[in-house]
Amino acid sequence: EVAGPGQPLKVPKGSRLEAWKVKGRLVIQIPAPGIQGNMVCQLMFSVLWLSFVCYWTFTAWNTGVRLFVAFSLPFWAVGLMLFFSTMLTPSLSQTLTASPLEYQVKSQVLRLGIYRFAAKVTDLEEVPGLVCMSDAECRLILQDGVQEIAFGGDLKPVEVRWIQKQLCSHWGLSVSECLANAQRAPRLDGDDDTEPHPDHW
């Protein structure tokens, strides 16, 4: 169990998810991961990238080939994006808040909100889906009309399925039927053209 402002919920063993219910709302949080080994490698790569681009740019400028300075701008952009995303990732957290009628996904860096999306449950085109790039890179997908809202990115499949169960239960749906529909959702099975809608869950 985890500490929280309301009734804490038991998350899967070993998960860094935090969840609780407060004032009739389900709150699930993915805390900031902190500094990890792969982030150090990415940071070193971005520094090397920027160092090379810096050397290239100043060499072109000093030798009078000013046109190459303009060509270096996209490489500066890529390097800076990689650098800042790597620096921000250790302090990035996400929170999913669900009421019986609405839900909200919010991203924060050092408690500063950088992204917020809120919508009605009835606008969901299908049950919350599971998408994985690998066994350690899964996310929950909320299909709001034509827009896909992602929650998480480095979750395990069991963690996303746990979130699916909590949402289905909170929205008064049969957990078994909800998960069965999720398995038949087009995002998970390209051969199935069925698109479950909340009115038919």
Side-chain angles (χ1 to χ4, degrees), residues 4 29 124 128 140 144 153 162 172 174 183 190:
Q29 186 177 64
L124 290 172
L140 179 81
D144 183 74
W162 182 86
S174 167
Q183 292 299 324

Side-chain angles (χ1 to χ4, degrees), residues 34-197:
I35 298 177
Q36 299 177 341
N38 63 330
M39 296 177 185
V40 175
C41 295
Q42 291 176 4
L43 182 61
M44 292 178 60
F45 177 78
S46 65
V47 171
L48 289 174
W49 178 284
L50 289 172
S51 299
F52 173 76
V53 176
C54 182
Y55 172 78
W56 177 30
T57 303
F58 280 101
T59 299
W61 181 269
N62 291 332
T63 56
V65 190
R66 307 293 170 84
L67 183 61
F68 280 98
V69 175
F71 285 131
S72 71
L73 294 179
F75 296 94
W76 277 108
V78 171
L80 290 173
M81 287 178 60
L82 179 60
F83 177 80
F84 284 112
S85 65
T86 304
M87 292 293 291
L88 293 177
T89 296
S91 56
L92 175 66
S93 64
Q94 272 192 301
T95 304
L96 170 62
T97 305
S99 72
L101 301 177
E102 299 176 332
Y103 67 93
Q104 172 183 284
V105 176
K106 181 170 62 175
S107 299
Q108 292 180 301
V109 173
L110 298 176
R111 297 187 177 182
L112 177 65
I114 60 172
Y115 173 82
R116 179 180 178 275
F117 179 88
K120 296 180 179 179
V121 176
T122 52
D123 289 334
L124 290 172
E125 293 296 326
E126 59 192 46
V127 297
L130 165 66
V131 174
C132 293
M133 300 298 292
S134 71
D135 289 340
E137 295 179 307
C138 296
R139 64 189 62 188
L140 179 81
I141 296 295
L142 298 163
Q143 189 72 45
D144 183 74
V146 298
Q147 186 175 4
E148 288 185 352
I149 308 303
F151 180 66
D154 59 349
L155 299 175
K156 303 290 181 61
V158 65
E159 292 177 303
V160 179
R161 285 193 291 268
W162 182 86
I163 297 174
Q164 290 175 313
K165 291 178 182 178
Q166 298 303 314
L167 288 174
C168 290
S169 177
H170 187 69
W171 288 334
L173 307 171
S174 167
V175 173
S176 58
E177 292 182 6
C178 184
L179 293 181
N181 285 337
Q183 292 299 324
R184 293 197 300 270
R187 284 227 37 122
L188 304 178
D189 185 355
D191 296 330
D192 194 334
D193 294 328
T194 305
E195 295 190 8
H197 189 277

